Amino acid sequence: MKKIVAINGESWAKNLTGIERVAQDTVTYLDKICSPNEFELVVPKNILRPAEFKNIKVVQLDAEAHFFPKWTQIHFQKYVIKNRRLSFDFSNTCPYFAPGIEYLHDIYAKLYPADFKQTRRDRLIHLYSVIMYKRIARRAKKIIAVSEYTKKTIVQTYKTPGQRIEVVYDGLGTYRDIPKDDSIFERLPQLEEKKYYFTLGSLSTRKNLKWIASHAKLFPNEIFAVSGKPIPSVVAPELKVLNSLKNVVMTGYLNDGEVKSLLSRCKAFVLPSYFEGFGLPPLEALSCGAKIIISNRTSLPEIYKNCAYYIDPDNPDVNLDKLLEQPVEDPTSLLELFTLENTAKRLYEIVKDVNK
């Protein structure tokens, strides 16, 4: 390799959600197959989890990473330029003056700007996101898209040549090894085995809580468990409706063990999102033995094919019991395909090709 690849370690300073988990688990697998002096993980001093590897050197800068892009655009970028590194970013961002190999999980903020108008924070997130999307689409040495759907939207929106974009699917990594925490059923005894539907994720607008609220009102005998932490861009009336319904249990934030327990005993996992770049939670649900009921939009049919039950995210009037009577395919081959070991191997091939 001509240059050492500097991986942006901002994910190690954030709460562990989808992108952060993918970043951390992928680097763990990458460390097993790369050689010394090929990669560095550049982390801020306020990391929340330890970063220790055999072959990937960890470089901790004397700077912290917080809400806005100071870490990436000042500290990480300065390190990349000064030390002549090739940047690698997992989270839809890049050092503006030194873009390298950059992930674009989706271009949600560009395609749905109306979802980012509620607060000043949302508007800032939208502005920064669209600047980053455009910079990556125009200047990155290689773009990593997590689905053919995401690749298609980048090409259509920014006229990016398709050969500059590689599709690398997400997958399951250490999530499989997390033990279940059945104490959640002591805290929420109303959730009886195979008698509730479960949905989780950030309570953002695109997760379509409106569908859950409307469906729960239409079918008062069905029980829904809704997990997730409210964020500023969620539409307040939806949460208000959900909190008012007797057949909806708002669990609040759950740890991974509690989530796995709820997934293993639910009637089905439900994801009515109208936009997903990949959609990792249904894969996690399948790994726990749950059936999945998901939206028929964007990337989801591409990823889950005939292993899922599909719903229209604009139509909450659907009988889920009858839907679950339909046959679907066994997800074993899907779970064998979408692993972070496969993700890491593919990324390693791409990095070596770009940096030869």
Side-chain angles (χ1 to χ4, degrees):
M1 289 187 177
K2 290 184 178 180
K3 290 184 177 181
I4 293 175
V5 178
I7 302 171
N8 189 338
E10 185 175 16
S11 291
W12 275 255
K14 291 184 175 181
N15 291 327
L16 203 58
T17 57
I19 289 178
E20 288 73 33
R21 188 188 301 281
V22 168
Q24 294 184 37
D25 283 355
T26 302
V27 171
T28 297
Y29 282 98
L30 189 61
D31 180 62
K32 297 177 182 179
I33 58 178
C34 72
S35 300
N37 301 317
E38 288 185 322
F39 293 88
E40 292 175 343
L41 178 68
V42 183
V43 298
K45 66 179 182 180
N46 61 322
I47 58 174
L48 301 176
R49 289 163 293 278
E52 298 176 356
F53 304 100
K54 178 182 177 181
N55 294 311
I56 297 177
K57 180 182 178 181
V58 178
V59 178
Q60 188 167 37
L61 303 185
D62 188 24
E64 294 189 352
H66 295 292
F67 164 60
F68 223 55
K70 186 176 178 180
W71 162 259
T72 296
Q73 300 307 330
I74 296 179
H75 305 296
F76 179 67
Q77 179 159 241
K78 180 180 178 181
Y79 178 86
V80 167
I81 294 173
K82 180 180 179 181
N83 295 280
R84 298 185 179 182
R85 301 307 197 227
L86 175 64
S87 73
F88 187 111
D89 295 77
F90 278 96
S91 56
N92 293 353
T93 60
C94 72
Y96 190 86
F97 296 106
I101 301 171
E102 313 296 350
Y103 257 84
L104 270 183
H105 296 264
D106 57 59
I107 53 171
Y108 170 54
K110 175 68 175 179
L111 299 177
Y112 290 88
D115 289 356
F116 294 83
K117 292 185 176 181
Q118 285 223 321
T119 67
R120 181 176 179 271
R121 186 178 190 271
D122 291 339
R123 292 189 290 274
L124 288 172
I125 290 173
H126 176 265
L127 176 63
Y128 182 58
S129 295
V130 296
I131 290 173
M132 288 290 96
Y133 298 162
K134 185 175 181 179
R135 189 63 174 177
I136 292 170
R138 300 279 174 83
R139 298 296 182 184
K141 296 183 182 301
K142 187 66 73 173
I143 301 165
I144 308 299
V146 296
S147 63
E148 291 291 346
Y149 167 79
T150 294
K151 178 177 178 177
K152 179 181 176 182
T153 60
I154 297 168
V155 171
Q156 290 178 340
T157 304
Y158 296 105
K159 312 304 178 187
T160 306
Q163 62 267 28
R164 289 186 52 235
I165 307 172
E166 296 286 350
V167 174
V168 181
Y169 292 116
D170 289 337
L172 290 177
T174 58
Y175 187 83
R176 294 174 180 270
D177 303 325
I178 297 169
K180 298 175 185 176
D181 183 356
D182 290 338
S183 66
I184 185 64
F185 295 104
E186 297 175 8
R187 182 161 68 85
L188 302 172
Q190 63 271 50
L191 299 179
E192 300 180 45
E193 186 167 0
K194 303 302 179 183
K195 293 185 179 181
Y196 64 91
Y197 294 100
F198 182 42
T199 186
L200 82 156
S202 62
L203 300 183
S204 61
T205 307
R206 65 169 155 175
K207 299 302 181 182
N208 201 11
L209 289 179
K210 182 179 179 180
W211 190 97
I212 300 290
S214 299
H215 180 85
K217 288 177 71 175
L218 290 170
F219 296 87
N221 292 325
E222 292 179 352
I223 304 298
F224 278 86
V226 179
S227 167
K229 183 179 179 181
I231 60 176
S233 60
V234 76
V235 181
E238 295 170 1
L239 282 178
K240 187 176 181 180
V241 171
L242 287 169
N243 281 310
S244 71
L245 296 173
K246 294 182 179 180
N247 60 328
V248 174
V249 179
M250 300 297 291
T251 70
Y253 175 79
L254 300 174
N255 64 43
D256 288 334
E258 293 171 329
V259 168
K260 291 192 74 169
S261 288
L262 289 174
L263 286 172
S264 67
R265 297 190 190 183
C266 67
K267 196 171 186 178
F269 171 77
V270 183
L271 186 76
S273 302
Y274 57 80
F275 186 93
E276 293 286 347
F278 179 90
L280 190 60
L283 195 64
E284 296 171 343
L286 288 174
S287 75
C288 295
K291 298 177 180 181
I292 58 172
I293 300 171
I294 60 178
S295 165
N296 60 6
R297 301 282 177 85
T298 60
S299 68
L300 294 172
E302 171 193 342
I303 304 302
Y304 294 99
K305 298 182 172 60
N306 296 322
C307 297
Y309 301 89
Y310 290 99
I311 54 174
D312 182 344
D314 294 326
N315 178 25
D317 190 4
V318 55
N319 188 314
L320 297 184
D321 284 339
K322 287 188 176 180
L323 182 65
L324 291 175
E325 292 175 0
Q326 299 177 11
V328 294
E329 292 182 4
D330 182 271
T332 300
S333 60
L334 204 70
L335 293 168
E336 291 173 349
L337 174 64
F338 296 132
T339 68
L340 283 181
E341 184 176 8
N342 288 339
T343 300
K345 288 178 180 177
R346 182 70 184 115
L347 285 175
Y348 191 42
E349 292 173 356
I350 293 169
V351 171
K352 287 195 294 184
D353 183 62
V354 172
N355 199 23
K356 59 188 177 182

